[in-house]
């Protein structure tokens, strides 16, 4: 009963709070109390609960079966809010009972009486548009639209005064019943009736919300109520308000921690998708039957397709491809992964695939409005068209790229985000300049970075080294976090003229990677930690002695000890410190256990298990067979895969490597089907593993996470592969083929106890003979 009355969690919490404040309302039924409490009392009485009281009128104490409210007080029909105005008929100030055909007030004794049959009047108006309209059909439509004779009389008066409401001016209808009548007349086949469009956005959608004397659509009424969310700062129609009356956007309402519950399957606090006797289940863990997918043939959790009635797995349910029958890029509904078939070609039902009223293309329209492609174009015009009525020249490429994207639904969902719509609207209107510096003023986060990457990919913004910009920001924050001026000056020298300068030299004009940023940040953070400890002890790096340094190294507060040694050695080399010793830790070989049998078992699984995605199989094999780090795998491009003379080679270092047949097939498949998850979908990206941001590869962290989900231990597996390769190949060949430094290759060869000292002499003897 509470679920039926309160509905969502927000209203349930309000009901629970009201009952917790005054539980006696269940016995006395007296307000003030929220509407949900009154509805609960009425539902309890209807269900036969005799111990609870029905709602009671605030004035006379009468038991109520329905509620009228003024604020949080309940009233009966006699004591409720009444309107007293001078009656048009008698001129006396009385309680207003109704209004006449001109909209003027009338008391109960002076009703506006019209002796004509309202159904005949309405049919006469419609007959002026369609002389062949059947009176019985019209009368039946009117009765279904308005059952009470008084409401039928109002319809007759309104249509008689303004017949143009039936021919396109329905947005001026004073009552919503006129709009329902228009829809039913069109469905009944009456000619001459025109369904009205929204007067603001001119879309053929449902219009029922009053705004400035007109009926507009839900989207336009939401725009008229836009406020800034008190939690995330986006400008949207508020979905609710917090305890202090401040607006909250729909996204903040959904993600409110109070609306989350612990899933009994994964144990995380998430939104509830299914409630079971054992507890709630989140959307990712919802139970699905395990069936054989009708498209890809895999045995996996499936849902039944509404179009074909056949099982379809989650991957095929979201898959979009170019139909082999008609050539259109649509969602796949049947066929096979190699020969996909779209919905209209699977079931060419004219009732199911109706033409879009805007572009005319056949789509599965669940509403009378336009298709997703037209909705996307209209949304882009709303956001990017400036005050001059046109899209700014710098944003034209963005407009065209988003309007022409293959994934219209993905683009619409992305544009519906509060921050995305706000930023693009500000850029289109000129309120925010189209520069990197203007985007830097926004709160740092993945959404803003994705907006920036889309603008760079479409040419609206020039490209820049984002990791270096982020590093400069991190360096500035860490330097200012130190307490003493002398320490900040020293940290500035260390960071600017050593760490960052060395990083720029090693990058050689290329973009800095995230791993390089992490290394520099750790070195600088270790220096800050050491200097902070020295400042607490009343020391500096110049006055610090070996005993003080060893005291810090053995203390519980010491962190990043090895990274701090880099700073100490730099200070010694610059004569800033003296009489200190902090030797570097030399690598003497792999310290983790190596399991070559498990490595080969995982490699065999990736070679033959078709249920694993192609990109994950290829990336895992590059790690297992060729000892490539996720950071190196993520930066591979399609140019690194070369097919010549039937042989497929991959260039990991200076010398290409021939790929064996199963791995070669996977590499060619990845080149052909690679696709990012970005809003721009398939672009001219050179990356072999495209990422979520257009024009950028997958991050090393994301690549590592995908490999970990396959059960691959990254460091241990790479050490095992590199150790095995070092026992079979000379250090020079190992470095040239795998792309590692020669000194690293020599160290691994020594760790593997390989003896290649006579290798050059042996080759010389072979050539001499």
């Amino acid at each position: 009963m509470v679920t039926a009355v309160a509905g969502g969690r927000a209203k349930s919490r309000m009901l629970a709070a009201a009952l917790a404040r005054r539980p006696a309302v269940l016995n006395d039924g007296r307000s003030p109390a929220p509407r949900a409490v009154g509805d609960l009392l009425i539902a309890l009485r209807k269900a036969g609960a005799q111990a609870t009281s029905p709602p009671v009128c605030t004035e006379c104490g009468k038991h109520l079966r329905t509620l009228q409210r003024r604020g949080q007080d309940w009233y009966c029909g006699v004591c409720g809010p009444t309107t007293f105005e001078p009656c048009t008929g008698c001129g006396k100030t009385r309680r207003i009972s109704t209004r006449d055909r001109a909209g003027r007030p009338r008391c109960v004794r002076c009703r506006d009486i019209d002796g004509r049959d309202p159904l005949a009047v309405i049919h006469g108006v419609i007959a002026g548009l369609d002389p062949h309209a059947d009176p019985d059909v019209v009368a039946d439509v009117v009765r279904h639209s308005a059952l009470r004779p008084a409401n039928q009389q109002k319809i007759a008066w309104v249509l008689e005064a303004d017949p143009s409401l039936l021919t396109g001016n329905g947005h001026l209808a004073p009552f919503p019943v006129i709009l329902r009548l228009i829809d039913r007349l069109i469905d009944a086949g009456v000619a001459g009736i025109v369904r009205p469009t929204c007067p603001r956005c001119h879309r053929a959608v449902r219009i029922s919300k009053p705004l400035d004397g007109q009926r507009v659509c839900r989207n336009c009424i939401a725009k008229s109520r836009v406020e800034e969310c008190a939690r995330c700062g986006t400008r949207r129609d508020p979905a609710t308000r917090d305890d202090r009356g401040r607006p909250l956007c729909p996204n903040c309402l959904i993600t409110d921690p109070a609306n989350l519950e612990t899933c009994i399957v994964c144990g995380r606090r998430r939104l509830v998708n299914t409630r079971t006797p054992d507890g709630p289940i989140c959307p990712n863990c919802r139970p699905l039957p395990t069936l054989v997918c009708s498209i890809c043939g895999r045995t996996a959790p499936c849902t039944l397709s509404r179009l074909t009635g056949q099982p379809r797995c989650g991957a095929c349910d979201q898959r979009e491809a170019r139909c082999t029958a008609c050539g259109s890029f649509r969602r796949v509904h049947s066929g096979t992964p190699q020969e996909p078939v779209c919905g209209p070609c699977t079931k060419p039902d004219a009732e199911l695939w109706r033409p879009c009223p805007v572009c005319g293309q056949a789509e599965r329209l669940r509403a009378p409005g336009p298709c997703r492609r037209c909705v996307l174009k209209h949304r882009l015009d709303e956001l990017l068209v400036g005050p001059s009525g046109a899209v700014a020249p710098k944003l034209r490429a963005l407009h065209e790229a988003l309007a022409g994207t293959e994934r219209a639904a993905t683009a619409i969902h992305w544009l519906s985000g509060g921050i995305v719509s706000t930023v693009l609207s500000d850029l289109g209107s000129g309120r925010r300049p189209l520069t990197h510096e203007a985007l830097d003023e926004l709160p740092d986060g993945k959404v803003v970075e994705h907006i920036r990457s889309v603008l760079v990919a479409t040419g609206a913004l020039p490209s820049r080294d984002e990791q270096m910009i982020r590093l400069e920001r991190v360096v500035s924050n860490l330097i200012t976090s130190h307490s003493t001026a002398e320490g900040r000056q020293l940290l500035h020298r260390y960071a600017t003229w050593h760490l960052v300068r060395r990083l720029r030299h090693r990058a050689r004009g290329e973009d800095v990677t995230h791993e390089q940023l992490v290394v520099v940040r750790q070195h600088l953070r270790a220096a800050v930690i050491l200097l902070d400890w020295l400042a607490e002890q009343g020391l500096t790096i110049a006055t610090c002695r070996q005993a003080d340094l060893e005291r810090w190294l053995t203390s519980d507060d010491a962190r990043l000890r090895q990274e701090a040694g880099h700073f100490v050695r730099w200070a010694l080399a610059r004569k800033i410190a003296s009489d200190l010793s902090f030797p570097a830790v030399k690598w003497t070989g792999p310290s983790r256990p190596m399991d070559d049998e498990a490595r080969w078992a995982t490699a065999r699984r990736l070679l033959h298990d078709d249920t694993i995605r192609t990109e994950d199989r290829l990336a895992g094999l590059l790690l297992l067979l060729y000892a490539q780090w996720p950071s190196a795998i993520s930066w591979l491009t399609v140019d690194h895969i070369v097919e010549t003379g039937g042989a497929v080679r991959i260039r990991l270092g200076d010398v290409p490597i021939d790929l064996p047949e199963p791995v070669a097939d996977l590499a060619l498949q990845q080149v052909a089907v690679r696709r990012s998850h970005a809003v721009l979908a398939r672009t001219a990206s050179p990356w072999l593993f495209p990422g979520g941001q257009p024009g950028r590869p997958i991050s090393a962290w994301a690549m590592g996470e995908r490999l970990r989900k396959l059960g691959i231990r990254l460091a241990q597996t790479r050490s095992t592969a590199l150790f095995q390769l070092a026992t079979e190949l000379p250090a020079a060949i190992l470095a040239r083929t795998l792309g590692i430094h020669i000194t690293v290759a020599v160290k691994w060869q020594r760790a593997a106890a390989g003896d290649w000292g006579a290798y050059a002499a042996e080759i010389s003897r072979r050539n001499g003979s």
Side-chain angles (χ1 to χ4, degrees), residues 98 101 112 114 116-123 125-126 138-161 175 177-178 180-181:
T98 185
R101 66 194 72 185
D112 187 3
D114 189 346
R116 299 175 298 171
D117 183 9
L119 298 179
V121 174
I122 296 173
H123 177 262
V125 174
I126 295 175
V138 174
D140 186 60
V141 168
V142 173
R143 291 191 188 98
H144 279 82
S145 302
L147 183 62
R148 297 176 59 184
N151 293 335
Q152 296 173 7
Q153 186 67 70
K154 291 180 180 179
I155 295 176
W157 288 340
V158 170
L159 294 182
E160 189 178 27
F175 311 116
V177 67
I178 303 293
R180 295 198 297 268
L181 176 66

Side-chain angles (χ1 to χ4, degrees), residues 8 12 55 94 107 221 255 272 317 367 411 425 522 612 694 734:
S12 300
R94 291 182 173 179
C107 66
I221 200 70
T255 58
V272 178
D317 187 35
S425 177
Q522 287 182 343
I612 304 174
L734 195 67

Side-chain angles (χ1 to χ4, degrees), residues 347-619:
K347 189 176 182 180
D349 189 349
E351 294 294 328
L352 185 64
W353 307 99
R354 294 177 294 169
C356 171
V358 178
C359 64
Q361 186 176 3
E363 292 287 347
R364 191 176 185 180
L365 302 178
R366 297 178 174 85
C371 65
R372 291 183 297 184
R373 179 73 56 186
C374 296
V375 171
L376 172 61
K377 293 179 180 178
H378 178 74
R379 180 61 175 159
L380 288 172
D381 291 340
E382 289 180 339
L383 294 176
L384 300 180
V385 172
S388 61
V391 180
K394 289 186 177 181
L395 293 175
R396 242 173 243 154
L398 173 65
H399 186 282
E400 294 174 359
L402 291 176
T405 181
E406 296 175 339
R407 306 179 188 178
T410 303
I412 293 173
H413 178 71
W414 184 65
L415 292 174
S416 64
I419 299 179
V420 176
S421 60
T422 301
V423 172
L424 293 184
S425 177
D426 291 344
L427 294 176
S429 61
R431 292 189 298 267
R432 185 183 300 276
L434 184 56
T435 60
H436 282 291
E437 292 73 17
L439 295 181
D440 291 338
E441 297 174 358
L442 296 171
D444 192 18
K446 292 184 178 180
V447 178
V448 176
E449 291 303 317
H450 194 274
I451 296 173
R452 189 195 306 273
S453 65
V454 171
L455 293 173
V456 171
T458 55
L461 283 177
S463 61
R464 69 175 188 178
D465 191 345
E466 293 298 330
Q467 297 294 346
M468 181 58 72
I469 299 296
R470 188 176 293 113
L471 176 60
E472 293 174 354
R473 194 180 304 124
V474 169
V475 167
S476 177
N477 293 336
L478 286 175
I479 291 175
T480 56
S481 66
H482 188 61
S483 56
T484 65
E486 181 183 356
R488 290 193 294 269
Q489 183 180 6
L490 183 61
L491 289 171
H492 177 75
R493 285 182 58 189
Y494 176 59
T496 305
W497 299 107
H498 180 65
L499 295 178
V500 177
R501 181 171 174 268
R502 184 180 62 171
L503 179 60
R504 291 184 187 275
H505 176 71
R506 290 180 175 178
R508 296 179 181 177
E510 301 292 335
D511 289 348
V512 175
T513 65
H514 178 71
E515 289 71 24
Q516 291 173 321
L517 182 147
V518 170
V519 171
V520 173
R521 183 173 56 189
Q522 287 182 343
H523 281 90
L524 186 56
R525 187 175 296 170
V528 172
I529 293 173
L530 177 58
L531 291 179
D532 286 342
W533 183 84
L534 291 175
E536 293 176 359
Q537 308 298 319
L539 300 171
T540 64
I541 191 67
T543 60
C544 177
R545 295 296 176 260
Q546 187 66 30
D548 301 322
L549 181 60
E550 293 178 357
R551 185 156 52 93
W552 175 76
L553 289 172
T554 56
S555 66
D556 296 334
D557 299 332
R559 291 176 297 161
L560 302 174
R561 292 178 175 87
Q562 294 184 9
E563 289 77 6
H566 183 274
F567 170 69
V568 173
R569 289 189 293 273
W570 171 82
L572 289 170
R574 298 300 183 279
K575 309 299 182 181
I576 300 172
S578 59
D579 298 333
L580 293 179
S581 176
F582 204 128
V585 177
K586 293 185 178 181
W587 185 78
T588 57
S591 59
R592 298 174 181 268
M594 288 184 268
D595 190 349
D596 200 49
E597 293 183 1
R599 166 174 163 255
W600 284 110
T602 305
R604 283 189 290 270
R605 179 166 65 91
L606 294 181
L607 285 172
H608 305 294
D609 192 350
D610 295 335
T611 62
I612 304 174
R613 289 184 295 186
T614 302
E615 56 264 37
D616 293 345
R617 295 169 66 188
L618 178 61

Side-chain angles (χ1 to χ4, degrees), residues 1-2 5 15 19 26 36-45:
M1 224 173 287
V2 171
V5 169
L15 175 61
L19 294 177
L26 294 171
V37 176
D39 292 339
L40 178 62
L41 294 178
I42 294 174
L44 289 172
R45 294 290 293 185

Side-chain angles (χ1 to χ4, degrees), residues 322-370:
R322 196 163 298 281
C323 176
T324 55
C326 65
S328 301
F329 191 89
R330 297 174 182 265
R331 179 164 290 186
V332 176
H333 287 267
S334 62
T336 63
Q338 292 75 26
E339 298 182 355
V341 181
C342 67
C345 296
T346 300
K347 189 176 182 180
D349 189 349
E351 294 294 328
L352 185 64
W353 307 99
R354 294 177 294 169
C356 171
V358 178
C359 64
Q361 186 176 3
E363 292 287 347
R364 191 176 185 180
L365 302 178
R366 297 178 174 85

